Amino acid sequence: MSKVLVYGLGVTGISSVKCLDKKGYEVYTFDKNKEKIEELKGYNYSPISCANLEDYKFEFVLKSPGIKPNDEYVELLENRNEIISDIEASQRLFPEKEKIAITGTNGKTSTTSMVNHILNQSGHKAYAVGNIGEGILWQMYNNEGVFVEELSSFQLHDSKLYHPKFAAILNINEDHIDWHGSFDDYINSKLKIATNQDKSDFLVINREDKILQDNKLSFKAKVYEFSSRQRVERGLYLKENTIYLIDENHDDEGILDVRDLSVIGRHNYENAMAAILLTYLYGIKLDDIIKSIKTFKSIAHRLEFVKTIDGVDYYNDSKGTNVDSSVKAIESFDRPIIIIAGGYDKHIDYTDYVKAFKKNGKLMIIMGQTKQKLENICKDLGVSYIMVENMKEALDEAYKEAKSGDVVLLSPASASWDMYKSYEQRGDDFKDLVKKLG
């Protein structure tokens, strides 16, 4: 019986232990903070301590994605073992499973959810997995269908044989430098989604992304593009309010008026184009795709409308955890904005965020680890700001300053981990507090 180690007992680790035990592996676990957990009751696994890590040789070590490559125990383990991610394990354990894989700095969750929605609405059993919902291995062990995978740079970093037939890279912007150590490592991790693809596979990319365009000739799969700003050679593009399809014959066909969608913002139209292309290439009829995408509702924490109070609209964009994501949220509105900004410091530059806000920004309310950085940029650019200690203070100030016609937007351009366990918890706090206002 092959020995394997699961390092980290969060959502990914729990899913992995369950699957590996059922697949007949001798499973060992290591977590610096816990050994036995309730969700694994009835499964066979052996917790080991840091003192015993060098006593074993494993077929592989499955590392939870949040654990950094330079973690002291990772460095210890990789002296004798292969370190892989759960998506890499899924390729090895379930090579026959159908996969549609999506990565990018921003838009992954929305696009994954759109693809999953289209497939299920069109009569195909589909499961959203990876960086969304339950861990991928336990889902694959228990289900048959199409697995729509939201893949983070953390998961792709530790992949080697991973090979999706259908994949998309939505965009690549500076993010997670604290984890990767450099922007180059982050870029290379994102591009790994296409490494093992060949000419029988399909890759969807953003025509407007310079990094993707610079790497376009290195992709071996059939490349289809989407653009919200210009015509593409093959794929989808947005002109005024209409999305056009350019097929193999290079004919332009208007397929969708974006005003029929329930999501707002240019970035969401790009996500929709990526989802349409992926499902079209998978083989869903275009009429079924368009019918389904029109019924898709915005996901929680991504430009999620919460409430109107005295003519002021409150939006929860807690999933805006980096500069590019929050810039896109800001650009979705042409009204005065009061924005709640700041959070965990991922060591990125916030200048473009403040510049984008300045165009129609009314007040930046700053909190979290990044508040000093944001304050300095606001001073340099002449942007009005105030500093607060928590979300309640932020919303009290926003309520006091907002006038009818304004937008109050939570889009922090920062992760949540300095004040909250997750962006979901941060967004829920925002929504709960908004509902108590007025």
Side-chain angles (χ1 to χ4, degrees):
M1 187 183 294
S2 296
K3 293 183 177 69
V4 295
L5 174 68
V6 175
Y7 179 10
L9 291 175
V11 173
T12 297
I14 291 168
S15 165
S16 301
V17 171
K18 289 179 177 179
C19 174
L20 291 166
D21 174 41
K22 293 296 186 182
K23 292 287 280 185
Y25 285 90
E26 186 177 347
V27 182
Y28 292 79
T29 62
F30 171 63
D31 191 298
K32 287 174 277 190
N33 301 310
K34 50 193 171 185
E35 288 190 356
K36 296 280 186 180
I37 56 176
E38 189 63 31
E39 294 96 321
L40 291 176
K41 190 174 182 180
Y43 294 90
N44 297 310
Y45 66 102
S46 302
I48 58 176
S49 69
C50 56
N52 301 120
L53 285 180
E54 291 186 288
D55 295 345
Y56 300 88
K57 176 74 172 69
F58 301 104
E59 181 178 326
F60 57 78
V61 174
L62 196 160
K63 176 177 75 68
S64 290
I67 300 167
K68 296 180 181 180
N70 63 356
D71 174 87
E72 60 177 315
Y73 300 112
V74 171
E75 292 180 340
L76 183 69
L77 286 162
E78 65 186 356
N79 288 329
R80 298 185 62 198
N81 304 280
E82 182 186 23
I83 311 291
I84 66 171
S85 64
D86 59 332
I87 62 159
E88 175 66 17
S90 75
Q91 179 70 42
R92 300 181 187 190
L93 297 176
F94 305 102
E96 76 289 351
K97 301 277 188 180
E98 285 192 301
K99 300 184 286 288
I100 298 177
I102 297 149
T103 196
T105 305
N106 298 307
K108 296 186 296 299
T109 302
S110 293
T111 305
T112 300
S113 300
M114 287 177 181
V115 170
N116 196 58
H117 177 78
I118 292 168
L119 288 169
N120 280 300
Q121 289 292 307
S122 302
H124 294 258
K125 193 64 180 173
Y127 303 88
V129 296
N131 203 38
I132 182 174
E134 191 177 1
I136 189 170
L137 289 178
W138 192 231
Q139 285 275 39
M140 283 191 167
Y141 180 81
N142 284 296
N143 298 299
E144 293 297 330
V146 188
F147 294 88
V148 189
E149 302 176 344
E150 178 190 332
L151 304 184
S152 70
S153 59
F154 304 164
Q155 291 168 307
L156 288 164
H157 181 274
D158 294 305
S159 66
K160 297 174 179 69
L161 306 176
Y162 179 71
H163 183 172
K165 185 168 183 61
F166 305 93
I169 311 175
L170 304 176
N171 43 62
I172 299 179
N173 297 286
E174 190 178 36
D175 199 11
H176 298 301
I177 307 305
D178 60 319
W179 193 96
H180 286 275
S182 71
F183 190 28
D184 283 343
D185 187 76
Y186 176 74
I187 293 169
N188 291 334
S189 295
K190 288 293 187 188
L191 295 177
K192 272 189 169 186
I193 199 171
T195 298
N196 296 313
Q197 286 191 304
D198 56 40
K199 62 184 180 181
S200 68
D201 301 319
F202 299 90
L203 180 66
V204 172
I205 64 171
N206 189 338
R207 176 68 180 82
E208 303 309 312
D209 190 281
K210 184 180 185 304
I211 293 170
L212 292 175
Q213 292 303 311
D214 288 346
N215 285 276
K216 185 176 173 180
L217 294 178
S218 68
F219 298 133
K220 298 184 284 291
K222 296 185 187 74
V223 173
Y224 285 74
E225 296 177 294
F226 62 90
S227 173
S228 62
R229 301 187 183 278
Q230 62 180 303
R231 189 178 185 274
V232 298
E233 184 178 336
R234 183 170 63 182
L236 295 175
Y237 71 97
L238 178 66
K239 184 178 180 182
E240 295 177 348
N241 291 311
T242 302
I243 292 175
Y244 290 86
L245 170 67
I246 301 179
D247 59 17
E248 296 286 352
N249 299 319
H250 302 288
D251 295 326
D252 294 47
E253 177 188 359
I255 62 168
L256 175 65
D257 189 321
V258 294
R259 291 170 293 189
D260 292 334
L261 298 172
S262 66
V263 293
I264 63 170
R266 184 181 294 273
H267 64 292
N268 272 320
Y269 304 150
E270 292 174 348
N271 296 338
M273 285 189 280
I276 292 168
L277 271 177
L278 284 167
T279 49
Y280 176 70
L281 294 169
Y282 178 77
I284 306 299
K285 291 179 180 178
L286 194 56
D287 287 347
D288 290 338
I289 294 171
I290 301 308
K291 180 181 177 182
S292 299
I293 197 74
K294 287 179 180 179
T295 64
F296 177 80
K297 304 297 182 185
S298 180
I299 63 170
H301 311 295
R302 194 69 185 103
L303 270 184
E304 177 189 13
F305 173 73
V306 180
K307 191 177 181 182
T308 300
I309 303 172
D310 299 330
V312 178
D313 290 338
Y314 289 75
Y315 279 86
N316 165 31
D317 192 55
S318 184
K319 206 170 187 308
T321 57
N322 58 62
V323 167
D324 185 66
S325 178
S326 289
V327 166
K328 287 173 177 174
I330 290 166
E331 291 175 345
S332 298
F333 300 99
D334 56 6
R335 293 180 280 159
I337 299 173
I338 295 173
I339 197 165
I340 299 173
Y344 176 80
D345 191 355
K346 293 192 284 185
H347 306 296
I348 56 177
D349 184 5
Y350 295 92
T351 303
D352 288 344
Y353 172 61
V354 181
K355 282 182 177 177
F357 175 72
K358 184 176 181 179
K359 292 175 184 176
N360 60 334
K362 186 173 178 180
L363 177 69
M364 181 172 284
I365 302 173
I366 307 171
M367 62 183 189
Q369 278 183 5
T370 56
K371 62 185 178 183
Q372 195 62 59
K373 286 184 176 181
L374 287 165
E375 180 186 28
N376 292 338
I377 299 169
C378 285
K379 285 179 178 177
D380 290 343
L381 296 178
V383 170
S384 296
Y385 72 93
I386 56 172
M387 310 279 267
V388 297
E389 293 302 316
N390 54 54
M391 189 68 75
K392 185 177 186 309
E393 282 187 30
L395 275 166
D396 287 344
E397 292 293 338
Y399 180 73
K400 191 165 43 177
E401 296 293 329
K403 307 297 181 189
S404 181
D406 291 353
V407 170
V408 173
L409 173 66
L410 169 67
S411 192
S414 307
S416 60
W417 305 316
D418 57 334
M419 299 171 70
Y420 298 92
K421 290 181 180 179
S422 65
Y423 73 81
E424 293 98 336
Q425 188 186 65
R426 176 172 64 187
D428 287 339
D429 189 27
F430 174 83
K431 289 191 289 185
D432 289 344
L433 289 166
V434 167
K435 289 168 184 175
K436 295 174 184 175
L437 289 174

